[in-house]
Amino acid sequence: MLATIAGMTRLIAGIDFERPAHEVARKLIGVTVLVDGVGGRIVETEAYDREDPASHAFTGRSERNFAMFGPPGHAYVYRSHGLHWCLNFVCMEDGHGAGVLIRALEPVKGLDAMHARRKFDDVHILCAGPGRLCQAMAVTRAHNAMALDAPPFELRARTGRVQVVAGPRIGISKAVDVPWRFGLANSPYLSKPFR
DNA sequence: CTTAGGATCGCCT
DNA sequence: GGCGATCCTAAGC
């Protein structure tokens, strides 16, 4: 399943989603994501690979996770604990679906709308967590499998350099030591600090 | 500041 | 029937 012809790879905000999830997760730090013009700069991500026991794709395709199996550059939105929505960007390498969980944003656009949806939370908490940022941007199942390079989504390439830190992923019980959580160093908008 | 429990539902065993 | 890629609140130290 090679959609890539040398030099002809289609990029979204400078990102090639036909790369390993951990590589895409690292490169997404500093990229701005907007949904209907509301959102911010990505400061925290986690990679979930096809061969990864912690990944929803690990046990195969289902009604919930089909978006993870492609195409790349689309959204995978799932419900967590029966309550919260979580947003992933789908990656593919050699036809294997994988995802990058968006874990935290630095709020940039549409602050009023996000504060209103989040009961006027402090700006440092507003998008600090996968469930919180989905509530702030009003992401739901309706966004599942949508393309990231078309409305309501908009991705903007990062400008300038960023210092990225890595560590173990949060809230999982399998593959606990895999260091596939990435963050913008010293950002005050992380869901949890890196140590 | 740290920890514990509840909410709530679709998927997997 | 069990258990989450979570979040909020309340209580304890």
Side-chain angles (χ1 to χ4, degrees):
Chain A
M1 194 88 214
L2 284 185
T4 304
I5 304 172
M8 297 293 285
T9 305
R10 197 164 59 96
L11 304 180
I12 304 176
I15 307 270
D16 179 2
F17 284 92
E18 297 193 28
R19 299 291 302 167
H22 60 88
E23 183 181 316
V24 174
R26 177 179 284 275
K27 287 187 173 174
L28 278 169
I29 301 299
V31 170
T32 295
V33 56
L34 304 176
V35 177
D36 289 315
V38 173
R41 188 179 177 219
I42 298 171
V43 297
E44 185 181 335
T45 60
E46 280 177 0
Y48 288 89
D49 192 77
R50 174 65 181 84
E51 307 298 327
D52 174 2
S55 169
H56 289 171
F58 185 69
T59 50
R61 195 185 191 111
S62 71
E63 186 60 30
R64 172 174 73 158
N65 69 12
F66 74 89
M68 262 189 117
F69 289 77
H74 286 229
Y76 163 47
V77 180
Y78 72 93
R79 220 215 268 260
S80 175
H81 292 261
L83 294 171
H84 309 287
W85 298 104
C86 293
L87 172 64
N88 293 251
F89 293 171
V90 174
C91 308
M92 288 194 93
E93 187 192 18
D94 297 333
H96 287 298
V100 175
L101 174 67
I102 309 303
R103 281 199 58 92
L105 305 179
E106 172 184 339
V108 173
K109 288 203 67 180
L111 276 286
D112 289 347
M114 292 198 285
H115 277 296
R117 290 166 180 156
R118 291 271 318 150
K119 293 170 65 176
F120 302 95
D121 251 353
D122 185 276
V123 70
H124 295 102
I125 309 296
L126 195 55
C127 297
R132 289 173 176 153
L133 68 89
C134 281
Q135 189 183 2
M137 294 194 295
V139 168
T140 69
R141 175 125 247 162
H143 297 86
N144 190 41
M146 279 187 171
L148 297 174
D149 60 353
F153 283 100
E154 181 183 348
L155 266 56
R156 296 183 181 172
R158 74 181 173 206
T159 57
R161 301 171 62 98
V162 293
Q163 187 186 348
V164 178
V165 291
R169 296 172 292 183
I170 292 178
I172 56 172
S173 57
K174 297 168 185 170
V176 172
D177 295 326
V178 178
W180 280 355
R181 174 178 177 237
F182 302 95
L184 179 63
N186 304 314
S187 170
Y189 302 100
L190 297 172
S191 68
K192 281 189 180 130
F194 285 78
R195 40 140 290 183

XYZ file of all heavy atoms in Angstrom, chain A residues 59 62-64 79 81-83, chain B residues 6-13:
228
model
N -5.679 -5.195 18.741
C -6.514 -6.394 18.659
C -7.330 -6.467 17.379
O -8.211 -7.320 17.250
C -7.462 -6.465 19.871
O -8.134 -5.209 20.003
C -6.701 -6.763 21.139
N -12.334 -2.810 14.528
C -13.672 -2.933 15.127
C -14.496 -1.721 14.733
O -14.001 -0.790 14.090
C -13.569 -3.020 16.651
O -13.196 -1.771 17.185
N -15.738 -1.739 15.144
C -16.616 -0.617 14.840
C -16.064 0.675 15.421
O -16.166 1.746 14.825
C -18.010 -0.891 15.410
C -19.058 0.137 15.043
C -19.272 0.248 13.547
O -19.091 -0.776 12.828
O -19.578 1.350 13.085
N -15.450 0.574 16.597
C -14.912 1.772 17.243
C -13.658 2.289 16.544
O -13.519 3.487 16.326
C -14.581 1.483 18.711
C -13.830 2.642 19.367
C -13.619 2.462 20.855
N -12.625 1.465 21.212
C -11.987 1.437 22.378
N -12.238 2.348 23.289
N -11.117 0.495 22.646
N -14.535 7.337 22.434
C -15.052 7.704 23.734
C -14.287 6.968 24.826
O -14.068 5.773 24.740
C -16.531 7.379 23.829
C -17.213 8.510 24.581
C -18.285 8.144 25.430
N -19.611 8.170 24.828
C -20.453 9.164 24.993
N -20.076 10.269 25.586
N -21.668 9.060 24.550
N -13.913 5.954 28.820
C -14.629 5.756 30.082
C -16.095 6.155 29.971
O -16.674 6.613 30.956
C -13.954 6.537 31.212
C -12.616 5.995 31.570
N -12.406 5.158 32.633
C -11.422 6.142 30.980
C -11.127 4.833 32.685
N -10.512 5.414 31.701
N -16.660 6.020 28.785
C -18.065 6.297 28.617
C -18.458 7.757 28.709
O -19.640 8.079 28.638
N -17.473 8.637 28.863
C -17.762 10.049 29.127
C -17.062 11.011 28.199
O -17.674 11.942 27.692
C -17.292 10.416 30.546
C -17.935 9.819 31.761
C -17.102 10.204 32.962
C -19.349 10.291 31.910
P -17.606 4.741 44.857
O -18.400 4.299 46.016
O -16.969 3.745 43.973
O -18.499 5.706 43.981
C -18.659 7.076 44.347
C -18.977 7.886 43.115
O -17.745 8.272 42.453
C -19.799 7.117 42.075
O -20.802 7.971 41.560
C -18.780 6.746 41.011
C -17.808 7.912 41.088
N -16.456 7.593 40.659
C -15.736 6.450 40.939
N -14.530 6.455 40.434
C -14.446 7.676 39.775
C -13.380 8.246 39.038
O -12.264 7.762 38.806
N -13.705 9.495 38.532
C -14.907 10.122 38.715
N -15.048 11.319 38.156
N -15.919 9.611 39.407
C -15.617 8.383 39.906
P -22.043 7.294 40.786
O -23.279 7.751 41.422
O -21.781 5.856 40.591
O -21.930 8.017 39.369
C -21.739 9.425 39.312
C -21.312 9.815 37.906
O -19.896 9.554 37.749
C -22.038 9.000 36.825
O -22.493 9.871 35.814
C -20.967 8.053 36.302
C -19.696 8.855 36.530
N -18.495 8.025 36.683
C -18.396 6.811 37.314
N -17.189 6.297 37.295
C -16.437 7.246 36.606
C -15.080 7.292 36.246
N -14.202 6.348 36.546
N -14.660 8.385 35.568
C -15.543 9.334 35.266
N -16.842 9.397 35.555
C -17.231 8.308 36.231
P -23.753 9.487 34.962
O -24.256 10.731 34.364
O -24.632 8.624 35.786
O -23.114 8.583 33.829
C -22.220 9.177 32.889
C -21.762 8.107 31.914
O -20.676 7.353 32.498
C -22.864 7.097 31.565
O -22.796 6.788 30.191
C -22.496 5.886 32.399
C -20.986 5.973 32.390
N -20.280 5.262 33.494
C -18.906 5.281 33.485
O -18.265 5.840 32.644
N -18.327 4.585 34.525
C -18.958 3.900 35.533
O -18.318 3.322 36.384
C -20.408 3.936 35.467
C -21.181 3.244 36.519
C -20.982 4.601 34.467
P -24.179 6.222 29.492
O -24.895 7.378 28.949
O -24.848 5.280 30.401
O -23.603 5.372 28.285
C -22.572 5.913 27.449
C -21.745 4.772 26.902
O -20.765 4.367 27.881
C -22.553 3.514 26.585
O -21.988 2.899 25.444
C -22.269 2.622 27.786
C -20.815 2.969 28.002
N -20.268 2.591 29.326
C -18.883 2.378 29.428
O -18.182 2.511 28.434
N -18.375 2.021 30.634
C -19.178 1.888 31.696
N -18.630 1.544 32.844
C -20.585 2.112 31.599
C -21.081 2.454 30.405
P -22.813 2.867 24.070
O -23.175 4.244 23.732
O -23.846 1.817 24.176
O -21.693 2.388 23.054
C -20.493 3.150 22.949
C -19.297 2.219 22.904
O -18.929 1.770 24.234
C -19.505 0.961 22.081
O -18.312 0.714 21.370
C -19.744 -0.127 23.130
C -18.847 0.347 24.250
N -19.248 -0.077 25.600
C -20.521 -0.142 26.100
N -20.557 -0.515 27.346
C -19.234 -0.714 27.697
C -18.654 -1.122 28.926
O -19.215 -1.389 29.984
N -17.275 -1.200 28.842
C -16.540 -0.920 27.724
N -15.222 -1.056 27.826
N -17.065 -0.529 26.565
C -18.415 -0.450 26.627
P -18.303 -0.324 20.170
O -17.836 0.449 19.025
O -19.572 -1.071 20.118
O -17.145 -1.328 20.591
C -15.875 -0.774 20.949
C -15.140 -1.756 21.820
O -15.825 -1.877 23.079
C -15.052 -3.151 21.216
O -13.697 -3.450 20.984
C -15.668 -4.061 22.264
C -15.701 -3.206 23.515
N -16.851 -3.471 24.426
C -16.612 -3.840 25.752
O -15.436 -3.931 26.127
N -17.661 -4.080 26.567
C -18.903 -3.958 26.120
N -19.904 -4.199 26.971
C -19.173 -3.592 24.776
C -18.136 -3.360 23.960
P -13.313 -4.837 20.260
O -12.112 -4.530 19.467
O -14.488 -5.457 19.629
O -12.883 -5.726 21.504
C -11.915 -5.218 22.430
C -11.801 -6.174 23.594
O -13.019 -6.129 24.371
C -11.605 -7.627 23.157
O -10.599 -8.218 23.962
C -12.968 -8.253 23.396
C -13.484 -7.445 24.586
N -14.964 -7.382 24.695
C -15.575 -7.609 25.930
O -14.867 -7.862 26.911
N -16.927 -7.549 26.022
C -17.659 -7.266 24.938
N -18.990 -7.215 25.079
C -17.062 -7.039 23.673
C -15.726 -7.110 23.587
P -10.129 -9.748 23.655
O -8.653 -9.712 23.651
O -10.859 -10.281 22.490
O -10.625 -10.516 24.957
C -10.312 -10.003 26.249
C -10.890 -10.943 27.310
O -12.315 -10.732 27.425
C -10.682 -12.419 27.015
O -10.384 -13.109 28.209
C -12.027 -12.871 26.473
C -12.985 -11.954 27.231
N -14.254 -11.663 26.520
C -15.400 -11.530 27.263
O -15.427 -11.653 28.464
N -16.524 -11.234 26.524
C -16.611 -11.063 25.159
O -17.666 -10.808 24.628
C -15.371 -11.212 24.442
C -15.344 -11.063 22.957
C -14.262 -11.507 25.148
